[in-house]
Amino acid sequence: MSAAERKIQKKSVSMPKQNPEVRIRNFNEVALGYNEEQALAEAERCLQCKNAPCIKGCPVEIDIPVFIKLIRERNFEAAIKKIKEKNSLPAICGRVCPQEEQCQKYCTLGKVGDPVSIGRLERFVADWERERGFNIPEIPASTGKAVAVIGSGPAGLTVAADLAKLGHKVVVFEALHLPGGVLMYGIPEFRLPKVIVQAEVDYIRKLGVEIRLNHLIGRTYTIPELLKRGFNAVFIGTGAGLPQFLNVPGENLSGIYSANEFLIRVNLMKAYMFPEYDTPIKVGRRVAVIGAGNVAMDAARSALRLGAEQVYIVYRRSREEMPARKEEIENAEEEGVQFCFLAAPVRFIGDDRGWVKQMECIRMELGPPDESGRRRPMPVKDSGFIVDADTVIIAIGRTPNPIIQCTTEGLAVTQWGTIVTDENGKTNIEGVYAGGDIVTGEATVISAMGAGKRAARAIHEYLTGKA
Amino acid sequence: MYPIVEKRVLASNIKSVKVLAPEIAEKAQAGQFVIVRVDEKGERIPLTLVDWNRSEGTISLIFLEVGVSTRKLGKLERGEAILDVAGPLGCPSEIRNYGTVCVVGGGVGIAAAYPIARALKESGNKVISIIGARTAGLLILEEEMGKVSDELYISTDDGTKGYKGFVSDVLKMLILKGYNFNLVYAIGPAVMMRAVAETTRPYKIKTIASLNSIMVDGMGMCGACRVTVGGKTKFACVDGPEFDAHQVDFGELIKRQMFFLPEEKLALEKWESRECCK
């Protein structure tokens, strides 16, 4: 039977997951990944389109049809090598990229059925390689140039890997005690196991990258000092790490966390293993999570696992406008997270110890679309109502970390505190580049990696005098 | 790893360690702090930079053993090392010649007051210091504070040393005696800083408090340390730790500091039972 005659399966091979009743009692990974047989069956669905529309949906331009073809041929080693030509963090991207918005959105098969599950296949070969030990590519002779990378999140790690593979000396400065940035402090274990993050970080170390922890650039060293200390270029990838609050009365009551605090305690500090680990977390019976993005879903699902009886998402718009990935919303619903749409808190009410016990919300209705293209929520008059909540998690977004901007004289910054760059990440200071959330505001892991790739290319050209 | 090169016991549960951390020593300024994580399972805790020696590359930290983290830190001996030390963090104190300055330190807060008093003295201020503790045996840095102060007053709650009463009582006495302070610094437990703020408020003496909120990252990311200052929410880690004491909502700070007390107690009990089985 020729390929043309072969009947293409319209449904993608589903990926096994932990049952909701079981998984809400643990922090183990929810999605279990394809086995070899499932991966081969899914790879078989790929049409191997000549024009490869999927590639244009990939911010790091992975040669998707080729790696899928290699999976089909059971040449997993070559498949992962193909991916790693472009992406040094495949096990991470295979798990947390919003593929439905990227590569899979353009998949030809998507017009007649499910698109090929490109992300799951990426994850499969990445895990296959990690379990067997990484292949380290040959690194060219040193160029004698040194680059300082600030921040070890997705953007910084990508820049570091790409420049190390070109023979530059790279030192990554990380402010926290573990490398990985948002991959470590933000995304929960049950979506992205931390051993996988550390394994991919170790791969980057094996490319020759040095990572210095506990270095807050702006305080330990400033950017002008780094340039003076012999670094020929600097890349700023400090992300969007500052929590936003609602600025309503009672928001500083105890029991009200920023999503960042909640997730840092749980993920980075492993508070879900308290008191074996020293950092505590306290979750009440009724938890309200304000906001409906991926971070809100992560916080809500973490709260359930920490023993909350009821967790509900409070969102000022409706279901259609929720910014979280569909997959994450489905996971949250399966686990029993409830949703309260078209409502917004206006005040938090505490007990005599200063602990939150209730919040007052108002009803919202949707008006005409705003500048984001989503319908603008408008308060309904006299619609206030009281909701019981003994824990509240504010997950309404994060803003750029200001410390570099404040300590780097002359660096051009927007009114929102993001750093101004050209399309290749070049800032207004010679030799200083930036990329990821610090330039765009809060976005995705893969878009930060895409920015990192472009910046690495530009830095390489700058260092080799081709710029 | 950050090796401990010297360790001293200052009082029954107050210890001082000198740690090799050249990059932090190079940059340290009065009023700043570090975040310390003792071991793999440890919390991140903020500790004030008490002293630093740029040529030796060392920093000094003083801590009261209250919970698991500080108890673990207290068990480390010379030659052993702290897993993580990050810093210097926070905004440095604004040091200039104000004229006559009163530096008030309470309990282990005296450790944080010391570098500020020293820097103020070096900038030409007349420095009057008031230090206090619950009892004489818990009073620390008396000699060091004496060296950087033009006058040093001592109080203890039980009267075992110096004036019987609180540091804020001594401050009140000095003001009534006619001391003209251009600035007052208050560093210690939140109740003490509130008492100092209330003492100076009627006299409109500018008063600065260095706040000891709960922190996790210490770099502006978590917001656990948020405090209300002048009706606005501020982060003690990056906007502070020093704020205008007359604007700080100390009641809120005190309540927020107590949020994890039951967990801290539980963790300590578990740790002690593990330790005694070793």
Side-chain angles (χ1 to χ4, degrees), chain A residues 20 23-24 30 301 304-305 330-337:
Chain A
R23 72 187 193 227
I24 59 165
V30 168
R301 297 171 68 196
L304 271 181
R305 283 161 173 77
E330 282 168 10
N331 279 330
E333 281 188 310
E334 273 178 21
E335 291 170 11
V337 172

Side-chain angles (χ1 to χ4, degrees), chain A residues 56-74:
Chain A
K56 77 169 186 222
C58 175
V60 295
E61 304 149 20
I62 293 173
D63 195 339
I64 295 164
V66 170
F67 100 73
I68 294 182
K69 184 160 172 281
L70 289 164
I71 291 181
R72 236 186 232 180
E73 294 164 359
R74 293 177 188 250

Side-chain angles (χ1 to χ4, degrees), chain A residues 29 58-60 62 67 83 86-100 102-104 118-124 126-127 130 154-155 158 183 187 191-192 196-197 200 325 327 444-450:
Chain A
E29 195 172 12
C58 175
V60 295
I62 293 173
F67 100 73
I83 293 174
K86 300 287 183 168
N87 182 349
S88 300
L89 309 171
I92 293 167
C93 288
R95 285 171 168 81
V96 302
C97 268
Q99 290 100 7
E100 66 280 3
Q102 297 172 345
C103 50
Q104 293 174 197
I118 300 165
R120 294 171 182 175
L121 291 174
E122 179 183 31
R123 170 184 168 152
F124 169 76
D127 288 356
R130 197 184 60 256
T158 301
L183 306 168
I187 303 176
R191 270 213 299 137
L192 179 62
I196 289 174
V197 178
E200 299 217 314
R325 283 181 77 185
E327 185 184 321
T444 60
V445 168
I446 190 71
S447 63
M449 290 175 58

Side-chain angles (χ1 to χ4, degrees), chain B residues 84-143:
Chain B
D84 297 295
V85 183
L89 304 175
C91 302
S93 308
E94 205 184 314
I95 302 295
R96 55 190 165 90
N97 192 344
Y98 296 92
T100 305
V101 181
C102 184
V103 178
V104 187
V108 76
I110 299 168
Y114 168 67
I116 295 171
R118 184 179 59 191
L120 287 167
K121 179 73 190 154
E122 284 166 1
S123 309
N125 290 280
K126 183 172 180 191
V127 176
I128 314 293
S129 296
I130 307 169
I131 59 173
R134 232 171 44 236
T135 185
L138 294 175
L139 190 77
I140 59 167
L141 301 186
E142 183 188 341
E143 196 191 321

